[in-house]
Amino acid sequence: MIRLDDLPYPVFVGRPAPAEIATFIREQGFSHAIVLCDANVALRAKTIARAIGKRTSTLAFPLGERRKTLGTLERVLETLAQRRAERTTLLIGVGGGVATDLFGFAAAIYMRGVPFVAVATSLVAMVDAAVGGKTGVDLRAGKNLAGAFRDPRAVFCDVAALETLPPRAMREGLAELVKHGIIEGDETFSELEELAAHPLPTWPWEKVVADSLRVKAMFVADDRLERGAREILNLGHTFGHALELATAYRLSHGSGVAIGLRAAGLLALRTGRFSQSEHLRVLSLLALLRLPLVTPTRDPRPVLRAMSADKKARDGKLRFVVPRKIGDVEYGVIAPLPSVRAVLNRLREVPGPAEFR
Ligand SMILES: NC(=O)c1ccc[n+]([C@@H]2O[C@H](COP(=O)([O-])OP(=O)(O)OC[C@H]3O[C@@H](n4cnc5c(N)ncnc54)[C@H](O)[C@@H]3O)[C@@H](O)[C@H]2O)c1
Ligand SMILES: [Zn+2]
């Protein structure tokens, strides 16, 4: 197992045996724990609970993005109260990004905060959601609108869980891997280029996840409350979020980010940054990973509206994160509206010679 210590809490990446998780938890001095899990990984969660001890119960909840709600949160909190969870009870949240966000939020507010350990079982949770301390649920008005910044005591990324992860959920995480590769630089990016030719089950996941996670951890460690440099992690996300919104979430987050990475590259080219060859490298990698490059939206106006409403827009100006080169990404870039519109129009077509006009 790889242990990362860039953050105030340890992050373990590998194939942790339930006994290893249990040992860590005992070493931390917790006498009582409750395992909360996404029902789709209940078996895995139960083996962890059993390893911790007879008194540790597992509570499974059907999750998925549609259930990342205040209603589910309420059920979790009420169940904890019925089970007489106390201030000193450790909550262990097992599952994908929805599980780590929702159970992490429950831990942040149950009795004004109880300790939390995340066991990430999806690629998105491993390289993104479980680290960084952002927890929360969706509101009807939009995603992740209620939540709290709250660090876990530890994160375990169980790469063995990826073997049962549905391909669609896997692809969601691949988009974030590419994003982290562009931010980190040639070493990580080239490794992804090389791996992309091979089937996903043969990838050295322990290393891939740890390398990707390190990128997020580095920026989060420097900027825990997202006041500055952490914005770099939003590469591809200003366009991505707007595309998700403009399609009423028919476009998944990962697809939005993939198209958004193409958009960031196009914007960079138009504003005199980035090279054509590096933009092509990014496009090729996304395509090899079977991530989309073309937006289903025909009309750029709803996308532009969604961008202006984005919380990252300040004083009415659109700010972007754009690559200067692979390994050198700039944030807070203000782009002229005609350029943004031109990029959105370009996204409607598959990349061809016009990409560089
Ligand atoms: N807090 C943050 O900083 C942050 C960052 C990125 C994403 N997120 C959040 O993460 C969520 C997306 O995460 P996700 O893609 O993991 O979604 P998810 O948690 O819904 O998991 C995707 C699907 O895979 C299933 N699943 C998870 N692990 C499995 C496994 N090992 N085997 C079989 N099935 C498994 C889940 O039940 C679900 O059906 C979004 O809600 C997003 O807002 C948060
Ligand atoms: Zn993302």
Side-chain angles (χ1 to χ4, degrees):
M1 250 195 324
I2 300 173
R3 176 182 167 132
L4 286 135
D5 280 305
D6 312 60
L7 293 164
Y9 45 91
V11 181
F12 300 92
V13 185
R15 296 168 182 270
E20 282 178 274
I21 301 179
T23 305
F24 172 85
I25 283 160
R26 272 194 299 270
E27 278 168 8
Q28 299 288 305
F30 290 107
S31 53
H32 188 222
I34 292 178
V35 179
L36 302 166
C37 72
D38 178 325
N40 286 337
V41 292
L43 280 180
R44 197 170 288 275
K46 279 184 189 144
T47 59
I48 297 170
R50 233 176 280 131
I52 297 170
K54 276 200 224 66
R55 285 178 55 225
T56 304
S57 48
T58 309
L59 304 173
F61 296 85
L63 294 181
E65 193 68 39
R66 274 189 314 116
R67 297 200 181 86
K68 191 178 163 183
T69 59
L70 289 169
T72 309
L73 179 71
E74 183 182 13
R75 267 198 297 286
V76 172
L77 295 171
E78 292 289 358
T79 312
L80 288 172
Q82 281 159 16
R83 297 291 176 120
R84 303 197 184 286
E86 295 167 9
R87 284 296 301 272
T88 51
T89 303
L90 171 71
L91 299 185
I92 303 170
V94 186
V98 168
T100 56
D101 272 16
L102 189 139
F103 297 142
F105 189 30
I109 61 174
Y110 182 72
M111 291 193 162
R112 301 192 180 82
V114 293
F116 182 66
V117 164
V119 179
T121 65
S122 77
L123 188 55
V124 169
M126 292 182 202
V127 302
D128 203 350
V131 287
K134 284 204 232 169
T135 68
V137 295
D138 301 335
L139 299 184
R140 268 180 225 107
K143 282 197 182 184
N144 299 320
L145 286 184
F149 276 103
R150 177 77 186 220
D151 281 342
R153 290 298 177 90
V155 176
F156 289 88
C157 299
D158 183 357
V159 298
L162 296 176
E163 285 154 24
T164 59
L165 188 67
R168 259 188 60 192
M170 193 74 179
R171 215 161 306 121
E172 290 294 296
L174 293 177
E176 307 290 348
L177 281 187
V178 176
K179 179 192 83 175
H180 287 158
I182 299 171
I183 294 171
E184 195 281 329
D186 205 49
E187 204 178 310
T188 304
F189 194 85
S190 309
E191 180 171 37
L192 289 175
E193 286 177 314
E194 189 162 313
L195 289 172
H198 303 280
L200 293 172
T202 65
W203 286 27
W205 282 107
E206 185 167 320
K207 181 173 186 318
V208 173
V209 167
D211 285 349
S212 186
L213 190 49
R214 228 174 251 126
V215 177
K216 173 152 186 188
M218 203 165 61
F219 285 98
V220 169
D222 289 347
D223 184 15
R224 306 262 303 284
L225 297 179
E226 213 169 29
R227 302 236 158 82
R230 188 166 172 173
E231 211 176 307
I232 286 196
L233 295 169
N234 282 321
L235 178 65
H237 280 60
T238 311
F239 283 100
H241 280 149
L243 292 169
E244 279 182 81
L245 270 174
T247 57
Y249 294 107
R250 267 180 293 118
L251 204 64
S252 75
H253 179 73
S255 299
V257 170
I259 301 167
L261 289 175
R262 178 187 176 199
L266 281 167
L267 195 62
L269 287 169
R270 288 191 163 260
T271 49
R273 300 161 172 89
F274 219 29
S275 67
Q276 296 194 1
S277 63
E278 294 215 309
H279 181 59
L280 280 179
R281 277 179 76 187
V282 173
L283 295 184
S284 311
L285 178 57
L286 292 168
L288 261 177
L289 297 173
R290 299 203 184 84
L291 291 164
L293 297 171
V294 178
T295 172
T297 53
R298 304 316 295 173
D299 183 359
R301 280 171 302 181
V303 188
L304 283 168
R305 263 199 305 277
M307 268 182 197
S308 327
D310 193 303
K311 54 186 183 288
K312 273 121 211 153
R314 282 187 211 155
D315 359 299
K317 292 206 181 86
L318 292 177
R319 297 152 56 85
F320 294 89
V321 187
V322 295
R324 272 192 290 241
K325 61 197 203 48
I326 289 169
D328 182 7
V329 171
E330 194 179 351
Y331 70 96
V333 174
I334 294 170
L337 196 62
S339 301
V340 179
R341 202 175 285 126
V343 166
L344 288 173
N345 286 329
R346 183 63 60 230
L347 293 178
R348 299 195 321 224
E349 294 149 30
V350 290
E355 194 80 0
F356 302 112
R357 250 181 247 135

